[in-house]
Amino acid sequence: MVLVPPSLELWLLPTGFMLIGAVTTVIACRALLRDRSLRRRGARAEGVVTRLHPTRMSSNRSGPSTIVYYPVITWTTADGRPMETEGHIARELHRNAPPGTPVTVYYDPADPSRWTLSSAGTRIYWLVGATGTTFALIGVGIALVMVFWGSSFEKCDGGTSDYSTSCP
């Protein structure tokens, strides 16, 4: 019994879903683990939002573009180095902390460029990870359907009767 459907091109769909889902999940999990590690083991500093850096995001369609803002935060490391860093997550203006807002920064003392905010968007990482996992599971589901669908056709092809009731 052969478990591969007649056309190998059909395997591109589930493979694509699984690859996109796996890569997305890995990226989200790495970001979550990095932020968790910095919050638990990193140094802590008090910072302040000094300004919001606007960025234009346009859709692929010819529709209007949206302006989102990255917070720019200034803070000082424990050894006295002044830092100015741009947030990792862009948000609409009304969803950002306004300039002058104090924030808590967690950072790696050996490499202060590795940092996170106490209010970093862990929800977005969870959402991206869940979406990636869903894509991967959809790919696995499609592959399983193809395997069982292909094997049922193989059984039908082996029969001598054109009026088989067990074939789809």
Side-chain angles (χ1 to χ4, degrees):
M1 170 181 6
V2 176
L3 296 179
V4 177
S7 172
L8 290 178
E9 289 85 17
L10 290 175
W11 284 100
L12 290 176
L13 180 68
T15 303
F17 269 95
M18 287 186 279
L19 284 175
I20 290 169
V23 168
T24 304
T25 302
V26 166
I27 290 170
C29 287
R30 288 189 70 196
L32 273 169
L33 292 173
R34 182 204 65 209
D35 282 4
R36 176 186 277 180
S37 174
L38 287 172
R39 284 191 192 101
R40 288 186 178 173
R41 296 182 186 93
R44 180 180 172 165
E46 294 305 316
V48 64
V49 177
T50 55
R51 66 183 185 281
L52 299 174
H53 178 242
T55 302
R56 183 175 305 275
M57 295 184 73
S58 60
S59 65
N60 291 339
R61 294 177 235 141
S62 61
S65 59
T66 303
I67 296 179
V68 293
Y69 299 85
Y70 289 97
V72 177
I73 300 143
T74 56
W75 49 284
T76 305
T77 63
D79 61 359
R81 286 184 280 171
M83 300 292 293
E84 182 176 85
T85 52
E86 188 172 278
H88 304 295
I89 298 174
R91 295 185 173 121
E92 295 173 341
L93 183 61
H94 68 278
R95 296 194 62 221
N96 263 307
T101 303
V103 292
T104 302
V105 177
Y106 295 95
Y107 67 97
D108 180 353
D111 181 9
S113 67
R114 291 189 61 233
W115 63 278
T116 190
L117 296 175
S118 62
S119 62
T122 55
R123 273 188 257 157
I124 192 75
Y125 297 143
W126 280 105
L127 179 64
V128 169
T131 303
T133 302
T134 302
F135 265 69
L137 290 174
I138 288 171
V140 169
I142 292 171
L144 288 173
V145 166
M146 289 172 59
V147 165
F148 289 114
W149 183 42
S151 66
S152 67
F153 277 126
E154 180 67 29
K155 290 177 190 173
C156 292
D157 290 343
T160 57
S161 170
D162 288 338
Y163 300 105
S164 174
T165 58
S166 65
C167 295

